[in-house]
Amino acid sequence: MSQFSSKKMSEPALLWREMETVYSIEAKLSCGLKIRKMMKTVPPCLGKFRPVVGQCCHQCTPDSLSKKLGQNYSLGFHNLLSVNETQTRYRGWLVRRVCCALFVSGCKVYGSPVSGRLQRVCQSNRVKKALTAEHKAPEGGDGHGQLDCLSPFLPLINTCISSGVLRFVGWAMLKMFASVFGSIQVNLNHLSALHRASQEGSLLVYVYVRQSAVDCALIPLVLFCHSLRVPYTVCPLQIKNASLRSILQKVGVVLLPPSARTEEDAEMDTLYQSVMTALVRELLHEGQAISIGVSERSGLGGQWLARIRQLIKEGSVPDVSLVPVGISYDCVPKTYIQVDVGLRSIFQWLWCLFCGRPEGSVRIHLGQPFSVKEMCESGRCRVDEWLPLQDLLLPVILNNRAGRAFGQRRMSWLLPSSYYSSELEEPSRSERNLSIAIILHLIFSATSCMAVMPTSLMSSLLLYKHRKGVSTSVLCRDVAWLTEELLFRNKDVGFGGSLTEVVHYSLSLLAPHLIIAAAPSKKDPLIVPSPSLAATLHLCYMAKTVTHAFILEAVGACAVSAMLCEVAHSGVSSSVRSDVEGEEVKGDTEFDVVLCQSELTARALQLCHLLPPGFMPPCQSSQSFALDAIDSLVRCGILIQEEIPRDVPICDFWKKGEGPLTWTTSDDPYHSDSDCEEPDLCSYKIRQPSHCPEMLFFLCRMLAGHLRALCWTTMGLDLFEMPLAEAEFVAQMHSHLCDTANKKKQHYESCSEEAAHTAVRTLIDLGVLLEEWQKEGVFLAVSPLFQLSENRQKLHRFISQYLYN
């Protein structure tokens, strides 16, 4: 068992050796004996089969969804690191010693011809126009002049997949990952579909959400070990070492050009954009697969999907099948995406890996392929209702209008216009929105594919439910409860087995971020999340997958909290009585108030527009999402639906004297086509059992970090001298959030770099911050409307109403 970190506490605590002894003996005996009577194991599934994840969207791509292509949902998982002689053609004592090398030599490698690729890229009209526009080559010039202009990109164009180098790198990665992870579990359900699609000649593009530099290596390794075509991998790192660049380019890794420091810098070069678009076209013509990582925070990597969409529209490529990939870690490897990666940093990282022991496991879900052409040309993915965020929310924030903010939030910053090589190639707003919808859909699909690992579940419980500490017996009970809730929501969990073993395993991995104290008078040790900044940010990051699974309930709970706060502040009803102190909920907490359905849905709808990308599918309307959020609270037992009594039954039309029925047309799918029906009038009440307030507050805390960062950012606008460069402003705002959390000595989950970036981007979309384009880059300044402190106070009150206090 790993050593738990010991820290000074306000109350006396034992040394870590005594804590370890108490935990290993007391927890296993007392907690294990008590819990084992109620639940012996944590089920990894409900019934005989695991939850089906990674299916296509039934609204955008129903034809792709109907193509089952031989999926078998009972295949289970395969540990990629468990290589033995049964996976080779040989048997014997010596084979068991070299089975990994024999297995790699038997994997199928598809050819990657590069002959003539450079010439075809140079002859591309797109590349010729870019050269002419930059006056780097005259029109109709010879090929040697073009090659001289394209010399920085020649190694990128000649990227190939060498059979021998790929086998050696595959063997090395299997050995390296065996020293890093305990296991790499691959879901086999959709592998048969990928094999069938590959045999039919479908062009496959694998899309994942960026978490670590290891992501780039995992997907090609998984496909290589299952004899699928290894994709060309787009790598956002800048590799400086020439030998390392040469090796990576021989296994299909498309690197940044040496002249570009970052991915954003490379995309600012119009010639690079044209060359990469032409390269993608040639790779798809050759039948190659491509692997792309998309940033959930900034949308970086989405420009490659826009290039594919552009090629399909102009007819250069018939169609492409996108495959969302969900990668889940017990512990995300400490491989931060650096700007410059040299040979020295690689050796330092490898030394740290080999010196440590394997920690945690990885679970990979390959989703069902779906057609880009079907999604874009069927018209099922509606983008005509997309509106700027300020049009959706500013009337509500400043004028306090009662009307609902219908429409979808437009996130144009996910695909800036600078990513198009020329103004002539820049598409219309609807086409650009459609490309953004594809990016959002893949972020949502890849995130939905991710399994909830035991460390994620434990982090969510400790951060959102037991912030002040919890005993192991109560923690075991809550782990079993939350596991069932996740399985009911069709979410795969990356663990199973004995309940005490799951809890022990999770706590051992999270030990550096916890304080575990035990007193001789108590049988169960007390587990408290460490109050430090680093520990809180780590727990918050690990709990994101649980928040994604409960996003409907979290939005609904915040809407309920907003209405309860309004009723409590207005003093309209004295029947709202709550004995809540801090985060401790007493047993006599009582909420006896009626919540109007329309008001509750309106609050949920307004909150939907403030969610970061990836939480909502773009094909679902915000109104539908808000209705589902309220319904989810009814299903999980927090709200009780009550119908308002009527004098006349709703079905008795003749007593109303309305005469014959008339019909109207409406685009709203949630209303009837006939105007003879009135909308159902209903209200909600909060269920009174003691566990309901705890569940309500648990859900509210899931979004509290994001909302609190928005509040702190709004109130800190007057601390900076504007205008400021966008990167500098985000850095200073991040420092302000950290200072605010340090002063309060709590709420550290609101001061991450991601929280600062998301808050600044939300304020830009709201019109609070204005973007000024200058030669040096983008500068931010406060808009005249929000230079008034009164308007900033209104915005702060609007956001803070959703915060659980």
Side-chain angles (χ1 to χ4, degrees):
M1 177 179 173
S2 64
Q3 298 176 357
F4 294 99
S5 62
S6 60
K7 301 194 177 184
K8 293 183 180 180
M9 301 179 61
S10 57
E11 299 179 0
L14 300 179
L15 295 175
W16 69 267
R17 292 183 182 275
E18 192 169 355
M19 284 191 258
E20 183 176 359
T21 305
V22 171
Y23 178 75
S24 59
I25 298 177
E26 299 275 347
K28 284 186 178 179
L29 292 179
S30 63
C31 174
L33 291 175
K34 292 178 183 178
I35 300 299
R36 204 169 291 149
K37 295 178 181 180
M38 297 181 291
M39 178 177 291
K40 295 182 179 180
T41 60
V42 177
C45 56
L46 295 177
K48 295 182 179 180
F49 303 109
R50 286 184 174 271
V52 180
V53 297
Q55 285 190 310
C56 299
C57 177
H58 68 279
Q59 178 174 335
C60 299
T61 54
D63 296 338
S64 299
L65 180 64
S66 62
K67 295 179 182 178
K68 295 300 181 182
L69 295 177
Q71 286 104 320
N72 190 344
Y73 297 118
S74 60
L75 292 178
F77 289 81
H78 167 233
N79 183 9
L80 210 63
L81 303 180
S82 178
V83 180
N84 51 47
E85 62 177 330
T86 60
Q87 297 172 265
T88 67
R89 295 178 296 171
Y90 310 98
R91 298 292 183 271
W93 173 82
L94 182 60
V95 173
R96 287 192 291 271
R97 299 296 183 271
V98 294
C99 59
C100 186
L102 292 175
F103 167 72
V104 168
S105 64
C107 293
K108 184 176 181 181
V109 177
Y110 293 82
S112 174
V114 294
S115 59
R117 182 192 296 170
L118 177 59
Q119 183 180 2
R120 291 192 297 271
V121 170
C122 293
Q123 296 300 321
S124 170
N125 292 331
R126 183 176 283 104
V127 175
K128 288 182 178 179
K129 289 180 181 178
L131 288 171
T132 305
E134 294 191 5
H135 306 287
K136 291 186 176 181
E139 276 190 68
D142 59 351
H144 294 288
Q146 289 184 350
L147 288 178
D148 292 338
C149 298
L150 296 177
S151 57
F153 309 111
L154 295 185
L156 307 184
I157 298 173
N158 290 326
T159 300
C160 63
I161 296 179
S162 170
S163 174
V165 178
L166 179 62
R167 295 185 193 279
F168 172 76
V169 172
W171 171 83
M173 285 196 298
L174 285 175
K175 292 296 184 181
M176 183 187 69
F177 285 142
S179 65
V180 180
F181 305 113
S183 64
I184 300 178
Q185 301 287 341
V186 182
N187 191 346
L188 302 177
N189 291 342
H190 290 297
L191 281 180
S192 57
L194 296 179
H195 277 288
R196 184 73 61 84
S198 181
Q199 292 172 1
E200 294 177 353
S202 300
L203 302 176
L204 299 177
V205 175
Y206 301 89
V207 184
Y208 60 93
V209 174
R210 295 177 184 175
Q211 302 176 73
S212 167
V214 178
D215 301 336
C216 298
L218 282 175
I219 295 178
L221 181 63
V222 168
L223 300 175
F224 169 70
C225 292
H226 290 90
S227 295
L228 284 163
R229 184 182 293 274
V230 175
Y232 280 73
T233 304
V234 177
C235 180
L237 300 179
Q238 177 55 277
I239 309 294
K240 290 296 185 181
N241 185 267
S243 301
L244 188 58
R245 288 181 68 94
S246 177
I247 294 175
L248 292 177
Q249 287 171 350
K250 289 183 180 179
V251 291
V253 179
V254 181
L255 300 169
L256 294 177
S259 58
R261 187 170 180 271
T262 62
E263 189 177 8
E264 297 95 322
D265 295 341
E267 292 295 340
M268 292 298 174
D269 186 359
T270 56
L271 183 57
Y272 169 81
Q273 297 173 17
S274 301
V275 170
M276 290 299 102
T277 304
L279 176 61
V280 171
R281 177 179 178 272
E282 293 304 320
L283 291 177
L284 294 176
H285 279 180
E286 295 170 8
Q288 302 295 334
I290 302 176
S291 175
I292 299 170
V294 181
S295 172
E296 189 178 13
R297 183 181 72 180
S298 62
L300 279 175
Q303 68 272 14
W304 294 89
L305 297 172
R307 292 184 177 114
I308 294 173
R309 158 71 182 141
Q310 189 177 5
L311 292 173
I312 294 175
K313 183 186 176 185
E314 64 187 27
S316 301
V317 178
D319 195 9
V320 169
S321 295
L322 299 178
V323 183
V325 183
I327 305 176
S328 306
Y329 298 94
D330 271 334
C331 290
V332 179
K334 297 179 181 179
T335 55
Y336 305 107
I337 298 181
Q338 303 174 358
V339 175
D340 298 333
V341 179
L343 195 61
R344 182 179 179 182
S345 60
I346 292 293
F347 280 124
Q348 288 178 349
W349 176 65
L350 290 176
W351 177 258
C352 294
L353 292 181
F354 286 114
C355 287
R357 62 182 182 85
E359 286 190 355
S361 61
V362 184
R363 180 155 295 198
I364 301 175
H365 287 276
L366 296 163
Q368 184 181 2
F370 66 89
S371 167
V372 178
K373 192 171 185 179
E374 178 191 2
M375 182 176 182
C376 296
E377 297 183 359
S378 62
R380 297 187 180 99
C381 187
R382 301 283 298 275
V383 296
D384 51 352
E385 295 182 357
W386 286 16
L387 296 172
L389 184 60
Q390 54 185 335
D391 293 349
L392 293 170
L393 289 184
L394 281 190
V396 180
I397 296 172
L398 300 180
N399 302 326
N400 197 20
R401 293 182 183 175
R404 296 180 181 179
F406 289 103
Q408 295 282 99
R409 175 185 175 184
R410 182 187 300 151
M411 299 184 183
S412 56
W413 48 271
L414 286 172
L415 192 63
S417 58
S418 59
Y419 285 174
Y420 294 95
S421 57
S422 67
E423 295 181 359
L424 297 176
E425 291 186 359
E426 186 173 351
S428 61
R429 173 172 291 180
S430 60
E431 290 294 330
R432 185 178 169 194
N433 287 345
L434 201 54
S435 298
I436 295 174
I438 295 175
I439 298 172
L440 287 171
H441 216 301
L442 283 165
I443 292 176
F444 176 80
S445 300
T447 306
S448 301
C449 286
M450 293 181 184
V452 177
M453 307 303 284
T455 51
S456 300
L457 185 142
M458 189 67 65
S459 299
S460 181
L461 287 174
L462 293 174
L463 196 62
Y464 303 137
K465 199 170 192 289
H466 303 294
R467 194 64 176 266
K468 292 187 176 182
V470 61
S471 63
T472 53
S473 58
V474 175
L475 189 60
C476 288
R477 181 199 65 193
D478 287 345
V479 166
W481 160 75
L482 191 55
T483 302
E484 285 191 358
E485 292 292 333
L486 290 167
L487 292 173
F488 277 126
R489 285 160 179 79
N490 202 37
K491 196 73 175 178
D492 183 47
V493 293
F495 56 90
S498 170
L499 182 60
T500 54
E501 290 177 356
V502 170
V503 174
H504 178 273
Y505 172 76
S506 305
L507 293 178
S508 63
L509 292 177
L510 295 175
H513 311 287
L514 304 176
I515 298 174
I516 302 180
S521 59
K522 293 186 178 181
K523 294 183 178 180
D524 290 342
L526 182 68
I527 302 169
V528 185
S530 176
S532 65
L533 171 63
T536 304
L537 291 181
H538 179 81
L539 295 177
C540 183
Y541 182 82
M542 296 304 300
K544 282 178 62 176
T545 52
V546 179
T547 304
H548 275 277
F550 284 89
I551 187 60
L552 284 173
E553 292 83 356
V555 170
C558 289
V560 171
S561 177
M563 292 196 67
L564 290 177
C565 289
E566 181 182 1
V567 173
H569 290 319
S570 63
V572 173
S573 173
S574 60
S575 59
V576 181
R577 181 171 57 86
S578 176
D579 296 324
V580 182
E581 297 179 359
E583 296 185 2
E584 181 182 356
V585 182
K586 296 186 177 181
D588 58 348
T589 300
E590 182 179 344
F591 299 98
D592 188 12
V593 62
V594 177
L595 305 176
C596 177
Q597 182 189 30
S598 59
E599 287 293 328
L600 197 56
T601 306
R603 297 296 175 92
L605 177 61
Q606 294 162 12
L607 180 57
C608 290
H609 299 313
L610 295 177
L611 294 178
F615 282 96
M616 280 179 55
C619 56
Q620 184 179 13
S621 67
S622 300
Q623 174 70 6
S624 170
F625 190 87
L627 291 171
D628 290 345
I630 304 304
D631 290 343
S632 66
L633 296 183
V634 178
R635 288 194 299 270
C636 66
I638 294 179
L639 295 181
I640 303 175
Q641 186 172 1
E642 294 185 346
E643 292 188 3
I644 298 178
R646 299 171 179 267
D647 297 333
V648 180
I650 189 172
C651 58
D652 198 348
F653 303 113
W654 293 108
K655 291 186 178 181
K656 301 178 185 179
E658 293 182 356
L661 303 180
T662 58
W663 300 87
T664 59
T665 59
S666 173
D667 293 333
D668 191 348
Y670 301 99
H671 289 82
S672 173
D673 287 337
S674 62
D675 62 3
C676 63
E677 295 183 9
E678 297 179 2
D680 293 338
L681 300 177
C682 66
S683 58
Y684 300 96
K685 293 186 70 175
I686 298 180
R687 194 182 292 269
Q688 293 303 325
S690 59
H691 71 276
C692 282
E694 293 183 2
M695 179 68 174
L696 182 67
F697 302 147
F698 170 66
L699 296 171
C700 288
R701 294 189 192 105
M702 289 184 174
L703 295 178
H706 168 64
L707 296 173
R708 190 176 292 108
L710 270 175
C711 290
W712 289 355
T713 304
T714 302
M715 300 309 295
L717 291 177
D718 56 349
L719 301 178
F720 307 102
E721 293 183 2
M722 310 290 256
L724 280 175
E726 183 176 1
E728 183 181 357
F729 181 79
V730 173
Q732 292 191 17
M733 187 57 70
H734 176 231
S735 177
H736 166 69
L737 295 179
C738 292
D739 293 341
T740 306
N742 286 328
K743 289 179 182 178
K744 297 178 178 293
K745 297 183 179 180
Q746 60 179 345
H747 306 315
Y748 291 109
E749 65 273 11
S750 300
C751 55
S752 64
E753 292 184 9
E754 181 179 359
H757 184 277
T758 305
V760 171
R761 178 48 56 186
T762 303
L763 293 185
I764 294 174
D765 289 352
L766 271 172
V768 179
L769 296 173
L770 298 179
E771 293 179 308
E772 298 178 2
W773 295 86
Q774 301 181 12
K775 292 182 179 180
E776 295 81 5
V778 181
F779 284 74
L780 299 180
V782 180
S783 65
L785 184 62
F786 283 91
Q787 288 178 0
L788 301 175
S789 60
E790 179 186 359
N791 290 336
R792 291 201 301 270
Q793 289 289 344
K794 289 181 179 179
L795 176 59
H796 181 270
R797 283 196 299 270
F798 173 78
I799 300 172
S800 61
Q801 68 175 328
Y802 296 105
L803 278 172
Y804 157 69
N805 187 0

